Amino acid sequence: MKKDNQPIIMFDGICNVCNHWVQFVIKRDPKGIFKFLSLQSDLACSLITDHNLNNKQLDSIILIDKDQIYTESTAILHIINKLTGPIRFFVLFWVIPEKIRDKVYRFIAKNRYRFFGKKKVVSFLVKKYKIGLLKRKQKVGKPMNRSTFLKKLRMTIITTFRWSLALTFLIYGIAKIYPGQFSTGDFIYDSTKDSAMQLAWHFFGYSDTYNLFIAFGEITAALLLVIPKTATLGNIIYLPITVNITILDFCFEIPARSVTTLLTCMSIALLFFEYKKLKRVFFDWPVAAETSLPTNLIKKKVNVQ
């Protein structure tokens, strides 16, 4: 097969969430960097043979870029890094260990049909182009005015921050439950050899109940942040947790302190975006309506029998 330097995204053509992901990428790839290929197409079979892909890799989004093969969460992050717009904020997830990222990805991939459903036939995206490689149509629209641009920018920032915060806590919350984030077992601390981080990790790993309590708080805040109507409540729960984690990271010299500092700043920024709403809830007391009787009332005589 003739080699092509253009990155190719291979996806499950009957998977609903995979097809939504493809459409999501196409909208944020105006230069047409990527080509897309369904795993059910004949062309995909040739690429699978050429690159010796195994069954485990085929149960994932696959990115082929300059003869390099990327799968699972790493493929997603490489794709996001080439897109345009605020979605690129999600490349910050590189700081999360690959094992943790991939465990969450595998859980979603394994249950993708159960959670999101599947198509009876290969997506129209593939049927439309017989060879399986998708093209794009550039949309020409009217230039938006400044007010509309600022509103869209504000909503984009809020949505990006919400999802970044939610996904980070969701990943770490699940990791605390399985396979476990902290160290367990007997530990004798030696200040001349052991780091402060080791001490903190054994402290948090000592009690399973406390570990589950932290995980429950992080997952609850994450789920509330994902839902627009409960996002403000989720962020109110989120902020004290991430502030506490940030202080611990600095005090115990945990390398993730740069990430937790960023998460704290994003959480605070979301509160500022919701300032008017929070002000109405916590500071503005409802004003009692003043009613006054008209002075020119008509007097009527009432006969009581």
Side-chain angles (χ1 to χ4, degrees):
M1 173 181 278
K2 185 179 178 181
K3 292 186 178 180
D4 191 346
N5 290 328
Q6 194 169 358
I8 297 175
I9 298 174
M10 298 175 67
F11 67 100
D12 184 355
I14 62 172
C15 168
N16 283 335
V17 71
C18 301
N19 281 279
H20 285 303
W21 166 251
V22 168
Q23 295 178 58
F24 178 86
V25 172
I26 288 174
K27 290 178 182 178
R28 288 155 183 83
D29 181 24
K31 295 181 180 179
I33 296 173
F34 294 106
K35 288 183 178 179
F36 300 86
L37 184 61
S38 166
L39 289 169
Q40 286 80 10
S41 65
D42 294 334
L43 186 56
C45 295
S46 300
L47 282 174
I48 290 167
T49 304
D50 291 347
H51 293 278
N52 297 318
L53 299 176
N54 56 46
N55 290 332
K56 183 180 178 181
Q57 290 173 310
L58 296 179
D59 198 27
S60 162
I61 287 281
I62 301 170
L63 173 65
I64 303 176
D65 188 6
K66 297 178 182 177
D67 288 332
Q68 292 291 322
I69 307 294
Y70 303 102
T71 61
E72 299 182 333
S73 65
T74 303
I76 297 293
L77 292 175
H78 273 286
I79 294 168
I80 288 174
N81 193 41
K82 293 180 183 291
L83 300 180
T84 59
I87 185 64
R88 296 191 65 185
F89 279 113
F90 285 95
V91 297
L92 295 172
F93 283 95
W94 280 116
V95 299
I96 299 174
E98 185 178 359
K99 288 183 179 180
I100 296 177
R101 286 190 276 111
D102 284 347
K103 279 189 178 293
V104 176
Y105 181 93
R106 287 176 202 137
F107 174 76
I108 297 172
K110 184 179 179 181
N111 297 280
R112 64 186 183 276
Y113 296 147
R114 187 192 310 171
F115 292 161
F116 307 103
K118 65 178 181 178
K119 301 178 184 298
K120 293 182 179 179
V121 294
V122 176
S123 167
F124 77 94
L125 289 172
V126 180
K127 281 188 171 183
K128 190 173 180 181
Y129 305 101
K130 294 180 181 179
I131 60 171
L133 294 175
L134 307 184
K135 301 177 182 178
R136 301 156 185 78
K137 293 181 180 179
Q138 292 186 349
K139 295 182 179 180
V140 179
K142 297 180 180 179
M144 65 178 71
N145 56 41
R146 186 171 181 272
S147 176
T148 305
F149 170 77
L150 291 176
K151 286 180 181 178
K152 288 193 173 184
L153 178 63
R154 179 179 180 274
M155 291 306 300
T156 301
I157 292 173
I158 290 174
T159 304
T160 303
F161 281 13
R162 276 177 46 220
W163 278 91
S164 298
L165 295 171
L167 288 174
T168 304
F169 260 24
L170 190 62
I171 290 171
Y172 275 102
I174 293 173
K176 285 179 176 64
I177 298 172
Y178 178 82
Q181 182 183 357
F182 303 115
S183 305
T184 57
D186 295 334
F187 175 66
I188 299 175
Y189 179 69
D190 185 350
S191 60
T192 60
K193 296 179 181 179
D194 300 321
S195 66
M197 178 178 171
Q198 287 178 292
L199 178 63
W201 247 232
H202 277 85
F203 168 76
F204 287 116
Y206 177 78
S207 171
D208 291 336
T209 304
Y210 185 64
N211 203 9
L212 290 173
F213 174 75
I214 299 173
F216 176 77
E218 291 179 348
I219 293 173
T220 300
L223 294 177
L224 289 173
L225 270 169
V226 169
I227 305 170
K229 289 185 178 180
T230 60
T232 304
L233 175 60
N235 192 35
I236 291 172
I237 298 171
Y238 195 104
L239 183 58
I241 298 175
T242 189
V243 167
N244 180 53
I245 295 172
T246 303
I247 293 171
L248 284 170
D249 286 353
F250 275 97
C251 293
F252 289 88
E253 300 177 357
I254 299 172
R257 53 183 174 268
S258 57
V259 179
T260 55
T261 301
L262 178 62
L263 294 175
T264 301
C265 292
M266 291 168 69
S267 180
I268 293 171
L270 278 182
L271 288 181
F272 276 109
F273 279 119
E274 301 291 344
Y275 168 74
K276 290 183 179 179
K277 183 191 295 185
L278 294 172
K279 184 174 179 292
R280 287 197 301 269
V281 173
F282 293 105
F283 301 106
D284 291 346
W285 294 95
V287 180
E290 295 182 1
T291 57
S292 57
L293 295 174
T295 55
N296 56 344
L297 289 176
I298 301 174
K299 296 180 179 180
K300 292 184 180 181
K301 292 182 179 179
V302 179
N303 297 323
V304 180
Q305 295 180 352

